[in-house]
Amino acid sequence: MKQLFGHLLVLGLLVNGEVLLAQETIAIADRETILLDGKWRYIVDPMENGYYNYRYKINPNGFFKDQKMSNESDLVEYNFDTSDQLNVPGDWNTQEDDMFFYEGTIWYKKSFLYTKTNKRTFLYFGAVNYDAKVYLNGEKLGEHQGGFTPFNFEVSDKVKAGENFVVVKVDNTRKLEQIPTVNSDWYNFGGITRSVKLIEVPQTFVQDYSLQLKKGTHDQVEGWVKLEGDSPKTIRVEIPEAKVSVSTQPDANGLAKVSFKSKLKLWSDTDPKLYEVKISAGNDVVTDKIGFRSIEVKGQDILLNGKSVFLKGISIHEVAPFTAGRVVAPEQCRTLLGWAKELGCNFVRLAHYPHNEDMVRIADEMGLMVWSEIPVYWTIDWENDRVLANAQKQLVDMIIRDKNRAAVIMWSVANETPISEPRTDFLKRLTETARATDNTRLLTGALEAHSVDGYRMLDDPFGQYLDVIGVNNYCGWYGGTPESCADLGWKMTYDKPLVISEFGGGALQGMHGKATERWTEEYQEAVYENNIQMLKKIPFLRGTTPWILMDFFSARRPLPDIQDYWNRKGLISDQGIRKQAFFTLQEYYQEKPVQLGR
Ligand code: GCU
């Protein structure tokens, strides 16, 4: 654990070379929070006019001051209170037609009334894409880079009784030295894309906790509880249903180890058992729903609770059904994961970045195992230490947030990254960071394959650092005809499980024709039929997450009347209509046993 916190602190300070307020995020669990969601005022600022003055210095009277005219002759050339409004959470691209392609800065402002208490108060953001600079009542709280993980700032001494205002400068400009970098095949949705909350906690509170089965056991729970504030002498951890009640003492840093034996009912895809866990410290009590299970690899097998499983999956982007913007509500998660269950899935690949917390919690409830990923995607700036620190921080932030979710069985540190020495060293470092932060889950990524004598060969050096080998392969779409895939053979230099983490093809829903005609549903169906024949012949295959559940926006897909800036590889259209290939995959999953006899 000490490694973890030391890690966090160092990473928190180093990212992007600026000293960030290295605030460890609060595990919210079931805490009462004050939502600041809803309508926020906004100003579009492509010239950074609200931040810099003309000599390119930070303007002390920038938009973060929310200036007002103090008399009729005053010159103030902006006014949040008469500006338009955006929904928070939400991307701006799909809220206003004239902002669909906008990349740059947008300033958000929210006023709120607050009643002071003797509690500590934190301002919490579920996620902001990409660069966030946060101000409260005109004073800078701090910054955060990275579009998919939470962050918070303590505001106990800054929030006032009565009227307050939050201003957030959000810049979604893509940059070479960011994670992801300038090129990605998903929409660069900008904005405050997840909820904003005020969290009130006692002077001493449970900042975070981790409870999981100790690796290699089915009845030994191990973990820790981290307190902030003057530590009380005792912390109690209870699982009432299992008659577990243990107490532990925090060290000088507020960190308490937890360890106990218990014959808990194990979480699985077929029986997703969650226990109510209660953690008490002083006058703070936090409850959460946690599942307990083991996940391991043994040779070419993936073992869930000691039994070999086949991962019948589907890839999913965090894109809302019907609106196609960022997911902003739990019911949208339920729709997407419900479609995955309808397909016959027991596994989902949440591509290519950490999805919102509800998505993972609902997967916990529904018995869907999860591949969770950071957006180290394609051509990252591999030889830049600040880029590595950024990737490490996004990885640690993802693990910190979801470490108690039984559904998450693997962390992916990369997708389709061209092989080079700097790239493989960068990814090796990420696997070391992941194992130092969480030694209970499997590590994976989408590697690079190449063709040798008609075979697909998997010998990417990155694979030596992983537990599960992932690879994307578009036989019948980016090469070969659909029919050529049925007999395509695979070789791998690793005695490890393989997950084909992407295959598939595009179809415009409702377009029909011959199976040789691109963009018809029949063509997509032929791609699936033949790739499934290929899968059946790979002896070391232990799962697949075809690309992709639902059509999604991509600025890389302009083909008029077919794509119109949509990636059409979905098995379901953005309006929820199943294409023919949906049923092809469903049939395969229905005939495929989950538990492999071993
Ligand atoms: C790649 C990539 C996806 C992309 C897909 C496609 O494998 O991982 O993000 O959307 O191919 O080309 O549609």
Side-chain angles (χ1 to χ4, degrees):
M1 277 79 58
K2 282 204 175 43
Q3 262 175 312
L4 164 61
F5 294 105
H7 216 87
L8 265 182
L9 198 57
V10 168
L11 286 176
L13 292 173
L14 282 181
V15 171
N16 299 322
E18 291 194 53
V19 176
L20 300 177
L21 292 175
Q23 307 239 342
E24 290 161 6
T25 47
I26 294 177
I28 294 185
D30 73 333
R31 289 189 183 284
E32 289 285 312
T33 60
I34 301 168
L35 272 187
L36 296 183
D37 291 349
K39 294 291 185 189
W40 287 48
R41 299 284 179 181
Y42 76 94
I43 297 171
V44 184
D45 186 11
M47 296 288 173
E48 297 290 319
N49 175 46
Y51 192 54
Y52 296 110
N53 65 19
Y54 65 96
R55 289 190 189 285
Y56 216 68
K57 290 193 186 69
I58 291 180
N59 178 349
N61 296 315
F63 289 179
F64 42 86
K65 287 290 187 195
D66 186 27
Q67 278 177 296
K68 305 285 177 235
M69 287 174 68
S70 52
N71 59 58
E72 62 184 12
S73 64
D74 244 2
L75 174 61
V76 178
E77 294 186 80
Y78 70 95
N79 184 341
F80 274 114
D81 298 339
T82 55
S83 296
D84 288 336
Q85 299 184 94
L86 281 172
N87 292 322
V88 168
D91 61 276
W92 63 61
N93 312 78
T94 58
Q95 290 193 55
E96 299 290 343
D97 292 346
D98 58 4
M99 293 204 291
F100 183 66
F101 285 109
Y102 180 68
E103 284 194 349
T105 286
I106 284 191
W107 294 85
Y108 287 77
K109 182 220 163 186
K110 180 77 173 179
S111 296
F112 64 93
L113 295 173
Y114 187 68
T115 304
K116 290 290 271 188
T117 66
N118 61 359
K119 294 195 170 185
R120 295 174 66 172
T121 313
F122 289 77
L123 179 61
Y124 177 98
F125 292 81
V128 176
N129 190 45
Y130 177 90
D131 181 304
K133 292 177 174 41
V134 181
Y135 304 82
L136 178 64
N137 301 326
E139 183 189 345
K140 185 167 184 184
L141 299 180
E143 307 190 1
H144 183 270
Q145 281 75 35
F148 304 99
T149 48
F151 57 98
N152 51 225
F153 303 103
E154 181 157 14
V155 296
S156 308
D157 303 331
K158 300 179 170 74
V159 67
K160 296 183 293 190
E163 176 98 17
N164 295 269
F165 68 94
V166 181
V167 170
V168 185
K169 178 186 186 294
V170 180
D171 183 355
N172 75 332
T173 307
R174 290 161 297 114
K175 292 180 181 137
L176 189 69
E177 71 280 7
Q178 285 179 353
I179 300 280
T181 184
V182 292
N183 193 12
S184 63
D185 191 27
W186 69 84
Y187 214 74
N188 179 31
F189 289 124
I192 303 177
T193 49
R194 293 180 193 158
S195 279
V196 184
K197 312 171 192 252
L198 287 170
I199 309 172
E200 295 176 315
V201 290
Q203 292 303 316
T204 293
F205 67 96
V206 175
Q207 181 260 320
D208 199 2
Y209 49 89
S210 173
L211 287 172
Q212 290 284 291
L213 285 182
K214 181 182 176 185
K215 199 167 183 68
T217 74
H218 287 175
D219 61 359
Q220 179 71 32
V221 174
E222 286 213 337
W224 45 266
V225 177
K226 175 79 169 51
L227 300 185
E228 267 301 309
D230 300 335
S231 293
K233 294 289 167 275
T234 304
I235 297 170
R236 182 158 295 284
V237 176
E238 297 169 86
I239 308 179
E241 186 186 342
K243 298 184 177 43
V244 167
S245 177
V246 297
S247 62
T248 177
Q249 281 68 42
D251 64 16
N253 300 316
L255 183 63
K257 288 183 183 176
V258 178
S259 177
F260 59 86
K261 267 189 177 303
S262 177
K263 277 267 176 241
L264 299 168
K265 184 171 190 179
L266 302 183
W267 183 97
S268 73
D269 53 321
T270 52
D271 186 357
K273 174 65 180 171
L274 299 177
Y275 284 93
E276 179 168 288
V277 175
K278 185 177 165 190
I279 301 171
S280 321
N283 53 9
D284 193 23
V285 178
V286 177
T287 57
D288 197 354
K289 292 188 181 64
I290 299 179
F292 298 88
R293 53 100 190 95
S294 73
I295 190 74
E296 300 158 275
V297 291
K298 189 175 175 188
Q300 297 172 354
D301 283 338
I302 298 172
L303 306 181
L304 174 68
N305 301 327
K307 290 200 187 74
S308 174
V309 289
F310 187 86
L311 303 176
K312 306 189 296 184
I314 189 73
S315 291
I316 302 178
H317 261 306
E318 191 193 20
V319 171
F322 311 113
T323 64
R326 270 283 168 256
V327 166
V328 293
E331 49 275 12
Q332 294 169 331
C333 303
R334 284 191 194 285
T335 299
L336 294 171
L337 296 176
W339 287 345
K341 292 288 269 191
E342 184 190 327
L343 255 182
C345 295
N346 64 356
F347 183 55
V348 288
R349 178 185 182 207
L350 301 186
H352 284 292
Y353 38 76
H355 288 208
N356 66 82
E357 189 170 355
D358 288 326
M359 193 76 165
V360 184
R361 284 183 173 275
I362 292 166
D364 244 3
E365 291 168 20
M366 295 173 85
L368 283 164
M369 291 177 274
V370 170
W371 161 317
S372 190
E373 184 161 284
I374 54 170
V376 173
Y377 181 99
W378 290 356
T379 53
I380 298 294
D381 184 5
W382 305 114
E383 299 185 69
N384 182 328
D385 286 346
R386 290 184 357 178
V387 174
L388 174 62
N390 184 345
Q392 287 173 316
K393 186 165 187 318
Q394 291 194 41
L395 175 60
V396 171
D397 286 353
M398 170 175 73
I399 295 173
I400 289 285
R401 192 194 72 180
D402 294 337
K403 62 189 172 301
N404 292 313
R405 305 282 75 80
V408 180
I409 59 168
M410 46 181 97
W411 305 117
S412 165
V413 298
N415 177 73
E416 276 191 8
T417 52
I419 295 176
S420 72
E421 202 172 316
R423 163 268 200 183
T424 304
D425 182 58
F426 186 104
L427 298 185
K428 172 174 177 278
R429 303 278 294 278
L430 287 184
T431 60
E432 291 164 351
T433 298
R435 294 197 196 281
T437 310
D438 171 15
N439 73 350
T440 69
R441 288 178 176 82
L442 307 178
L443 295 188
T444 191
L447 280 61
E448 298 292 290
H450 56 107
S451 292
V452 177
D453 302 335
Y455 278 97
R456 294 297 284 159
M457 169 57 84
L458 257 173
D459 54 9
D460 182 336
F462 172 34
Q464 63 189 300
Y465 306 113
L466 300 176
D467 301 303
V468 175
I469 304 294
V471 67
N472 304 337
N473 193 70
Y474 281 89
C475 176
W477 185 259
Y478 290 127
T481 63
E483 294 66 36
S484 69
C485 308
D487 296 324
L488 180 61
W490 283 81
K491 289 185 177 172
M492 187 160 76
T493 54
Y494 299 107
D495 181 28
K496 297 181 178 180
L498 171 67
V499 170
I500 299 275
S501 39
E502 289 181 33
F503 74 84
L508 178 63
Q509 187 277 322
M511 182 171 167
H512 294 284
K514 301 196 303 291
T516 54
E517 189 182 348
R518 198 72 79 153
W519 303 108
T520 62
E521 290 194 34
E522 287 73 14
Y523 189 102
Q524 185 187 46
E525 185 179 32
V527 169
Y528 271 75
E529 283 168 349
N530 286 279
N531 275 276
I532 287 168
Q533 290 314 309
M534 174 191 79
L535 298 184
K536 290 180 176 178
K537 296 168 186 156
I538 308 174
F540 42 83
L541 183 74
R542 290 296 178 271
T544 184
T545 49
W547 194 259
I548 186 170
L549 180 69
M550 184 179 78
D551 291 352
F552 60 97
F553 279 130
S554 168
R556 299 180 74 250
R557 310 292 177 175
L559 180 62
D561 305 326
I562 297 284
Q563 293 177 319
D564 296 318
Y565 296 107
W566 290 89
N567 182 312
R568 295 287 188 200
K569 295 190 183 68
L571 291 174
I572 300 177
S573 77
D574 61 289
Q575 291 309 308
I577 302 172
R578 285 108 178 105
K579 303 174 191 175
Q580 287 170 201
F582 175 96
F583 304 100
T584 308
L585 183 64
Q586 186 184 55
E587 188 183 338
Y588 169 55
Y589 282 166
Q590 277 162 357
E591 76 189 29
K592 182 89 193 156
V594 172
Q595 305 284 358
L596 300 177
R598 279 281 182 287

